[in-house]
Amino acid sequence: MLKLDDRDLKILAILQKEGRISKTALAERVNLTPAPCWERLKRLENAGIITGYRADVALNRIAPHVVVFMAAELEGHRAENFQLFERWVKNIDEIVGCWAVGGGFDYILQVVAPDIDAYQRLVDQLLEARLGLVRYFTYIVTKPVKQPKSLPIELLVAGETTPQKK
């Protein structure tokens, strides 16, 4: 694991919230000249800590859609069962997130589809593919309350375990 100092953490915190910030402005915000700031940025990218840059898109302003979380349980629990399921999931664009979990179900999937019918066709496709999907529960998102914009890096690195109110 790459050792991060306070400036590295500040760079990460700023980039999570302001990914389009210029390198000069970033350097000023972390109290560095542009060249050392650029070197730190490249080191964080090369270490795989910064994995990419993206735009947050207001999908509701583009097209009608539904967001669904699916809890999925597989019939078999051998490595090849999980590998088969994960290979399929990685290739389905509507599945925008998938997490292997413990405690009852094997996976939580996040699906974005045009409507419920399209979601059900996706489920039917998963069932017909004989991936070992034995049980699933569907949770339709009625409204977003809090979505991740940035990760609490400083809290994790500092080892704090209690939430801080602002």
Side-chain angles (χ1 to χ4, degrees):
M1 205 177 297
L2 185 65
K3 180 77 172 147
L4 303 177
D5 64 18
D6 289 343
R7 282 199 173 123
D8 293 326
L9 295 174
K10 190 159 186 166
I11 287 170
L12 294 171
I14 291 168
L15 286 176
Q16 284 189 107
K17 293 178 179 142
E18 303 173 56
R20 291 177 54 131
I21 190 170
S22 72
K23 292 179 182 93
T24 304
L26 179 61
E28 288 173 9
R29 295 265 300 274
V30 297
N31 200 26
L32 285 172
T33 59
C37 185
W38 174 251
E39 289 173 16
R40 284 175 179 262
L41 192 56
K42 280 297 172 200
R43 183 174 52 91
L44 293 168
E45 290 173 350
N46 292 336
I49 293 172
I50 296 175
T51 59
Y53 299 87
R54 64 180 185 89
D56 289 327
V57 176
L59 189 54
N60 61 331
R61 293 179 175 246
I62 298 171
H65 67 284
V66 63
V67 177
V68 178
F69 283 90
M70 173 203 279
E73 181 182 345
L74 300 185
E75 186 174 28
H77 289 99
R78 296 192 328 244
E80 56 266 19
N81 303 120
F82 296 121
Q83 291 166 358
L84 175 65
F85 185 80
E86 290 171 15
R87 272 195 309 275
W88 263 80
V89 163
K90 287 177 183 177
N91 291 313
I92 299 174
D93 291 337
E94 295 89 345
I95 299 174
V96 298
C98 180
W99 301 268
V101 296
F105 288 96
D106 299 312
Y107 295 96
I108 301 292
L109 294 86
Q110 182 180 7
V111 178
V112 176
D115 53 38
I116 294 298
D117 289 337
Y119 166 74
Q120 187 57 54
R121 286 191 302 275
L122 172 67
V123 171
D124 292 343
Q125 178 186 356
L126 291 172
L127 292 168
E128 290 167 5
R130 301 192 188 281
L131 302 174
L133 182 61
V134 67
R135 181 177 305 137
Y136 69 94
F137 286 85
T138 298
Y139 303 94
I140 299 168
V141 175
T142 57
K143 73 176 180 177
V145 176
K146 182 177 181 180
Q147 295 179 290
K149 295 288 183 189
S150 61
L151 302 172
I153 296 168
E154 295 90 353
L155 294 176
L156 299 173
V157 172
E160 294 184 32
T161 57
T162 56
Q164 302 291 321
K165 287 198 174 194
K166 292 184 180 183

